[in-house]
Amino acid sequence: MNPSEGLSANLSEDSPERPAASPSAPAPDAVSADPADGPAAAGIPDELRAASFERQRRLRQEPRFPGGPAIDPAGSHHERRIRSFQPRRSRVTPGQQDALLRLWPKWGLDIDGQRVLDLPELFDGLPAVLEIGFGMGEATAQMAAEDPGTGILAVDVHTPGQGNLLGLADRNGLTNIRVANGDAIILLREMLKPDSLDGLRVYFPDPWPKKRHHKRRLIQPEFLDLVAQRLKPGAVVHCATDWEPYAEQMLEVLTAHPLFENTRADGGYAPRPAFRPLTRFEGQGLDKGHVVHDLLFARC
Ligand SMILES: C[S@@+](CC[C@H](N)C(=O)[O-])C[C@H]1O[C@@H](n2cnc3c(N)ncnc32)[C@H](O)[C@@H]1O
């Protein structure tokens, strides 16, 4: 089976339920990115619901920051699919707004699913790793500063984080980060060439702890089929999580996948490599007493 087809099929039904707050995820936004997660779920009257949908429709159409990231670059009805991310608070600070306005045209790109990226051109010939879900971007900026010979294509849907990371890159003189806005699945499936990535980083993805939400977890077999197509042979998938059942799932599906091999001879979790800084969500998990697991698997 074509891995893209498999992923599409797997991601073709969305849950109408609002996800419960995950152990390491922030509270959902007051204005949801997904109507299915909106006021209907809270039992709000029809007219208020209609007004909210109208507001969301306008929000999707109007750029929030002129020349900045689009509200919904691939179009929310592009296809019905499961979102691995959840609605977030989206208050943008003046500093983040300034960074979005000044730097998005230079270092930002919308995931519209309409064009294929030329990674060597994007990063002036540097090897390119994809980081999915950089949050506020502090760890991304630190890794970029410590490894200027690697380009980081950092993707998230979270506007304040995009502004934050652009500002960090600017203040620290980092030229090896590009910030992508939208769903990483569409980026991987529609906008990256086969054998184009030198690595994938997924640090503390939303854990979706409830059983009925497990299908929204990013690391699953069909996702790995797609990732395997986009990675160069030898490139490493590096995941980390503080949610034990998700770590077990990651280990199981990565171990079972024929195109990935554990870099650990003992077939288990890896210690945190020195190049991965502590992340913001990791810190929150550690404060709650969670145990963190890293997994590093190479593309065969
Ligand atoms: C729990 S946060 C972790 C953030 C950061 N890595 C850290 O450790 O602090 C997960 C992030 O992944 C993003 N995310 C989840 N699924 C995504 C997807 N399919 N495409 C882009 N971003 C996604 C969410 O928006 C969120 O910012």
Side-chain angles (χ1 to χ4, degrees):
M1 179 175 57
N2 177 340
S4 313
E5 285 167 17
L7 190 76
S8 211
N10 180 266
L11 300 180
S12 64
E13 322 161 353
D14 206 350
S15 162
E17 294 166 87
R18 182 185 199 107
S22 60
S24 59
D29 196 351
V31 178
S32 163
D34 183 344
D37 288 333
I44 286 176
D46 279 357
E47 58 276 17
L48 286 182
R49 210 174 124 199
S52 168
F53 284 172
E54 174 57 19
R55 182 162 172 254
Q56 291 189 23
R57 192 187 63 75
R58 270 190 285 111
L59 279 174
R60 286 201 183 96
Q61 287 172 348
E62 291 165 14
R64 198 162 161 208
F65 304 101
I71 300 290
D72 185 9
S76 60
H77 302 296
H78 176 71
E79 63 176 325
R80 279 186 65 72
R81 64 184 190 283
I82 287 177
R83 310 298 201 266
S84 60
F85 44 89
Q86 48 187 342
R88 304 274 300 272
R89 281 196 197 100
S90 59
R91 195 180 72 81
V92 173
T93 67
Q96 291 161 359
Q97 173 167 341
D98 170 65
L100 287 166
L101 291 171
R102 279 190 307 111
L103 304 167
W104 187 261
K106 189 166 145 196
W107 288 330
L109 63 99
D110 279 322
I111 300 174
D112 56 13
Q114 300 300 313
R115 65 218 150 100
V116 175
L117 301 177
D118 183 336
L119 291 179
E121 186 183 297
L122 198 62
F123 289 108
D124 294 328
L126 295 178
V129 302
L130 174 66
E131 180 180 356
I132 298 179
F134 57 81
M136 295 306 284
E138 299 95 337
T140 309
Q142 192 174 328
M143 288 186 289
E146 286 169 6
D147 182 12
T150 296
I152 303 180
L153 179 55
V155 51
D156 208 301
V157 293
H158 188 222
T159 316
Q162 293 162 356
N164 206 54
L165 180 53
L166 288 170
L168 284 168
D170 191 37
R171 286 193 295 283
N172 293 287
L174 308 173
T175 56
N176 55 335
I177 297 175
R178 300 292 176 272
V179 179
N181 167 46
D183 189 335
I185 304 269
I186 295 179
L187 175 71
L188 279 161
R189 205 180 52 203
E190 318 280 351
M191 297 176 69
L192 293 179
K193 294 177 189 165
D195 293 349
S196 58
L197 287 171
D198 293 87
L200 172 67
R201 298 169 179 169
V202 189
Y203 300 151
F204 304 90
D206 297 293
W208 296 108
K210 292 193 173 177
K211 194 166 192 313
R212 67 175 187 273
H213 293 141
H214 285 182
K215 62 187 175 183
R216 298 185 71 159
R217 287 179 174 168
L218 201 54
I219 309 300
Q220 33 184 320
E222 295 79 5
F223 173 76
L224 294 177
D225 290 343
L226 177 58
V227 167
Q229 274 199 345
R230 300 297 179 249
L231 289 178
K232 295 177 183 169
V236 169
V237 175
H238 181 189
C239 303
T241 181
D242 64 326
W243 190 243
E244 187 80 39
Y246 198 5
E248 288 165 8
Q249 173 177 331
M250 289 176 177
L251 188 59
E252 188 183 318
V253 296
L254 278 159
T255 303
H257 200 287
L259 291 176
F260 290 102
E261 189 175 16
N262 199 333
T263 60
R264 292 279 300 176
D266 64 7
Y269 301 114
R272 176 168 65 90
F275 70 82
R276 182 177 76 70
L278 284 183
T279 77
R280 181 181 278 240
F281 277 77
E282 179 173 20
Q284 293 171 4
L286 292 172
D287 288 347
K288 292 179 197 147
H290 295 175
V291 175
V292 170
H293 293 294
D294 281 68
L295 302 93
L296 289 99
F297 278 70
R299 165 80 163 86
C300 299

